[in-house]
């Protein structure tokens, strides 16, 4: 995701380059499990003080469902809109100071938004940050309805079946091994459980 923008920097304001993107980003971040390439379109436009990059990008990552803790594929789509500034002037090679540009001081010093002194614009860090920002805070399985996680519903049904089997077998064992003097209390317990 590196672009040589030397020629674009020589053009007047409004000059544009468009690129179709299909990049393997498996190594973009060790904490992200990327499932596919980054695809989309980006546009680089010359501004009075640098290059404005805009685009629509998408990919998929593996995450964990917040409800059932099973692995889940999450599709990520995001819009890109960042302004990059050059470190050097194309024609002369002169270093360009941040105070020669418009914008917030923090943005002007952000290393991810600088065009290298060899006029290479690198989108890698900006894409990595946007992947993390786009990832849902609470990823979930494919929802079948409002608030329903199919894996969780299935797991709860299985747990309920196991509990019913356990309760049935334990009550039989209990009745066989209980001292007859306690039968009145057992009958009272069964009656109160039936009311709830």
């Amino acid at each position: 995701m590196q672009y040589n923008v030397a020629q674009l920097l020589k053009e007047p304001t409004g000059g544009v380059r468009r690129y179709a993107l299909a990049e393997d980003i498996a190594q973009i971040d060790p904490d992200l499990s990327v499932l596919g390439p980054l695809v989309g379109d980006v546009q680089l436009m010359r501004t009075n003080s640098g290059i404005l990059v805009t685009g629509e990008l998408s990919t998929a990552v593996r995450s964990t469902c917040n409800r059932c803790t099973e692995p889940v594929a999450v599709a990520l789509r995001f819009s890109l809109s960042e302004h990059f500034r050059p470190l050097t002037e194309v024609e002369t090679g002169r270093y360009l100071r941040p105070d020669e540009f418009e914008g917030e001081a923090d943005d002007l010093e952000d290393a991810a938004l600088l065009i290298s002194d060899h006029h290479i614009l690198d989108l890698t860090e900006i894409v990595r940050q946007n992947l993390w920002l786009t990832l849902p805070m609470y990823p979930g399985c494919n929802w079948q309805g409002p608030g329903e996680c199919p894996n969780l519903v299935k797991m709860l049904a299985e747990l309920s079946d196991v509990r019913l089997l356990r309760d049935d077998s334990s009550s039989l064992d209990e009745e066989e091994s209980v001292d007859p003097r306690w039968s009145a209390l057992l009958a009272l317990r069964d009656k109160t459980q039936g009311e709830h």
Side-chain angles (χ1 to χ4, degrees), residues 73-93:
V74 179
L76 300 180
R77 298 180 194 286
F78 59 93
S79 298
L80 201 61
S81 181
E82 295 289 349
H83 193 266
F84 290 77
R85 78 168 187 90
L87 280 175
T88 58
E89 203 171 56
V90 177
E91 293 84 7
T92 65

Side-chain angles (χ1 to χ4, degrees), residues 5 49-53 80-87 101-116 120-127 129-130:
V5 292
S49 61
I51 301 215
L52 176 66
V53 178
L80 201 61
S81 181
E82 295 289 349
H83 193 266
F84 290 77
R85 78 168 187 90
L87 280 175
F101 297 94
E102 298 173 1
E104 299 293 322
D106 291 342
D107 292 341
L108 296 174
E109 293 298 328
D110 187 350
L113 297 176
L114 296 176
I115 300 169
S116 76
I120 303 297
L121 188 151
D122 189 354
L123 291 178
T124 307
E125 177 59 18
I126 296 301
V127 167
Q129 291 174 13
N130 275 278

Side-chain angles (χ1 to χ4, degrees), residues 22-130:
E23 288 275 334
D24 177 15
I25 57 168
Q27 306 301 320
I28 198 164
D29 191 315
D31 294 328
L32 276 174
S33 179
V34 180
L35 299 176
L38 180 73
V39 295
D41 297 304
V42 293
Q43 174 180 288
L44 282 60
M45 184 175 74
R46 178 71 165 108
T47 65
N48 64 333
S49 61
I51 301 215
L52 176 66
V53 178
T54 56
E56 298 291 326
L57 303 171
S58 63
T59 190
V61 297
R62 179 179 294 120
S63 189
T64 303
C65 176
N66 188 50
R67 292 187 162 198
C68 67
T69 68
E70 291 293 318
V72 61
V74 179
L76 300 180
R77 298 180 194 286
F78 59 93
S79 298
L80 201 61
S81 181
E82 295 289 349
H83 193 266
F84 290 77
R85 78 168 187 90
L87 280 175
T88 58
E89 203 171 56
V90 177
E91 293 84 7
T92 65
R94 178 180 72 85
Y95 171 73
L96 296 169
R97 297 183 319 275
D99 61 353
E100 295 181 56
F101 297 94
E102 298 173 1
E104 299 293 322
D106 291 342
D107 292 341
L108 296 174
E109 293 298 328
D110 187 350
L113 297 176
L114 296 176
I115 300 169
S116 76
D117 53 353
H118 296 291
H119 314 297
I120 303 297
L121 188 151
D122 189 354
L123 291 178
T124 307
E125 177 59 18
I126 296 301
V127 167
R128 187 190 73 78
Q129 291 174 13
N130 275 278

Side-chain angles (χ1 to χ4, degrees), residues 97-172:
R97 297 183 319 275
D99 61 353
E100 295 181 56
F101 297 94
E102 298 173 1
E104 299 293 322
D106 291 342
D107 292 341
L108 296 174
E109 293 298 328
D110 187 350
L113 297 176
L114 296 176
I115 300 169
S116 76
D117 53 353
H118 296 291
H119 314 297
I120 303 297
L121 188 151
D122 189 354
L123 291 178
T124 307
E125 177 59 18
I126 296 301
V127 167
R128 187 190 73 78
Q129 291 174 13
N130 275 278
L131 290 174
W132 280 110
L133 291 172
T134 308
L135 191 66
M137 190 175 292
Y138 303 109
C141 292
N142 298 324
W143 299 93
Q144 293 180 339
E148 292 182 2
C149 167
N151 286 331
L152 183 61
V153 169
K154 182 181 170 190
M155 287 170 51
L156 291 175
E158 290 171 357
L159 285 173
S160 178
D161 291 345
V162 168
R163 184 173 174 217
L164 287 174
L165 288 173
R166 192 189 72 209
D167 287 348
D168 288 346
S169 66
S170 66
S171 64
L172 289 174

